[in-house]
Amino acid sequence: MLRISILDQSIIPKGSTASEAIANTIRLAKLAETSGYHRFWVSEHHNATMIAGSAPELLMVRLASETQKIRIGSGGIMLPNHSALKLAENFRLLETMYPGRIDLGIGRAPGGDRISASLLNPSNQFTEESYLQQLEYLQAFFHDEASSQYGPLYAVPITPTVPTPWILSSSGGSASIAGRFGMGLAVARFINGFAGAEIVETYRKAFVPSREMSSPQVLLAISVLCADTEEKAGQLRKLADYTLLQFEKGNFREMKRYEDIKDYVFTDAELERIQYNRGRIVSGTAGQVRAELVSLAAEMGVEEIMVASMTHSQEDRFRSFELIAQTMIND
């Protein structure tokens, strides 16, 4: 059975506040659990005032405390922004408080601009070699195998279990890395609409069983907008298309309402970009969304779909997740 999960970015819609955005993320995590979603991940973004989610490791504490069974994770922690030791300590503490429920999703993008990334971690070298070294350090810390010339180095608290590790990949470059380290692979189709089955195939061929994962695990993350009518779904899709165009222009400051852009006429150049981005979003009524997601999962060869949804109206957003649960989980 296809598992369905949620990725939430704690978007601050126009006219709202960061506190309200976080409150809505907490509310959504509770809905996800009662609706049967498998896991709930939160993201890391910086220098983007329309996104409240800058520290997933902190938000995860609250989300796990507000729920009972659903897996809580990062989607992801941008590893180059962090010390491997401190990251291991943060997630070991999470695992101590909520054993068997914590996912550590890791990415190597900055989660923002290059300047903010260099300020978050002044030693950031922005190289693949550095990223691989940090992954090796993480494994050593999680299994109490790190040491220096002065003796052992422990990431405390020491725990009998570790968070389930995942690597995020949008272009496919990290697929073989995830396989080599025996981690799960999260394919970020909501970032790259051309991410295809070859990424999953590369991962499966490279996979080496690890202490955390005996066989490959893959999920596909994609934006989904589900509505009761085709007309409403079309409105949500237009706003999503408009928002993606703003992101491409570097505008991460404000999430507009549909009413603000309903009369906006896309230029020919913008329509080309919308067509280019079409693979990043699935939209429609419940039946249409179900058919497309099932087909996409089969095409990609994945066992799990992770749904992201960015729109201004919280009523529309929560209704979308409710409809997805009804048609994909509880049907």
Side-chain angles (χ1 to χ4, degrees):
M1 184 176 179
L2 188 63
R3 290 174 169 173
I4 308 296
S5 298
I6 291 177
L7 168 64
D8 192 59
Q9 296 156 310
S10 303
I11 298 294
I12 307 172
K14 180 180 178 181
S16 188
T17 66
S19 294
E20 290 170 333
I22 296 300
N24 282 320
T25 293
I26 296 168
R27 176 186 161 207
L28 183 59
K30 293 179 178 180
L31 174 68
E33 180 166 76
T34 58
S35 299
Y37 284 91
H38 181 61
R39 65 180 97 238
F40 189 95
W41 283 7
V42 287
S43 62
E44 176 184 343
H45 291 277
H46 303 284
N47 200 25
T49 56
M50 66 171 284
I51 302 176
S54 60
E57 67 275 25
L58 294 180
L59 185 52
M60 286 170 62
V61 177
R62 179 65 183 273
L63 296 176
S65 72
E66 294 278 357
T67 53
Q68 300 297 320
K69 297 183 294 184
I70 191 170
R71 297 194 66 86
I72 301 294
S74 57
I77 289 284
M78 300 297 105
L79 186 54
N81 295 339
H82 302 269
S83 149
L85 173 58
K86 186 56 182 171
L87 182 58
E89 289 185 333
N90 287 344
F91 274 78
R92 272 194 149 182
L93 185 55
L94 278 163
E95 184 71 17
T96 297
M97 293 187 291
Y98 308 103
R101 293 182 57 202
I102 301 300
D103 293 329
L104 171 55
I106 300 168
R108 60 174 168 177
D113 57 85
R114 189 81 169 230
I115 294 175
S116 58
S118 64
L119 292 172
L120 285 162
N121 181 5
S123 64
N124 190 347
Q125 299 176 30
F126 298 98
T127 65
E128 182 170 311
E129 181 182 359
S130 175
Y131 179 63
L132 293 173
Q133 186 177 66
Q134 283 182 288
L135 288 173
E136 290 173 356
Y137 287 165
L138 269 180
Q139 286 200 326
F141 286 132
F142 278 134
H143 295 287
D144 305 317
E145 296 169 349
S147 64
S148 73
Q149 60 182 345
Y150 304 105
L153 290 171
Y154 293 110
V156 294
I158 295 174
T159 55
T161 59
V162 301
T164 302
W166 292 77
I167 293 285
L168 281 58
S169 180
S170 59
S171 63
S174 295
S176 59
I177 295 174
R180 189 197 326 171
F181 281 87
M183 298 178 175
L185 177 69
V187 181
R189 179 90 173 222
F190 70 100
I191 295 175
N192 174 19
F194 294 95
E198 69 279 357
I199 295 177
V200 178
E201 184 179 354
T202 296
Y203 164 70
R204 293 189 185 279
K205 286 181 178 179
F207 186 84
V208 177
S210 64
R211 284 170 283 190
E212 291 75 40
M213 211 167 277
S214 59
S215 60
Q217 292 188 38
V218 189
L219 66 82
L220 178 70
I222 189 166
S223 294
V224 181
L225 297 165
C226 194
D228 289 287
T229 66
E230 290 189 15
E231 179 184 8
K232 184 65 176 182
Q235 294 174 0
L236 297 179
R237 182 59 179 256
K238 181 174 182 177
L239 180 57
D241 288 337
Y242 177 88
T243 302
L244 283 182
L245 290 173
Q246 299 311 303
F247 287 174
E248 291 183 349
K249 296 173 184 176
N251 180 10
F252 297 92
R253 306 299 180 188
E254 185 178 67
M255 179 71 180
K256 291 185 178 293
R257 302 170 300 174
Y258 171 72
E259 290 73 19
D260 298 325
I261 61 96
K262 68 178 182 178
D263 296 323
Y264 184 86
V265 178
F266 295 115
T267 66
D268 289 342
E270 288 174 331
L271 289 172
E272 286 185 15
R273 290 304 302 175
I274 289 172
Q275 181 67 14
Y276 180 84
N277 288 325
R278 70 189 185 282
R280 300 170 64 177
I281 306 172
V282 170
S283 62
T285 61
Q288 293 168 336
V289 164
R290 177 187 174 88
E292 194 162 348
L293 290 182
V294 169
S295 175
L296 188 58
E299 174 192 329
M300 294 289 292
V302 301
E303 308 89 15
E304 182 173 348
I305 296 285
M306 180 168 278
V307 176
S309 177
M310 285 198 301
T311 194
H312 183 280
S313 167
Q314 293 304 304
E315 180 181 349
D316 291 341
R317 197 165 76 97
F318 276 76
R319 181 56 178 162
S320 179
F321 286 118
E322 288 170 351
L323 288 170
I324 292 167
Q326 289 171 14
T327 191
M328 299 295 299
I329 302 172
N330 302 315
D331 187 26

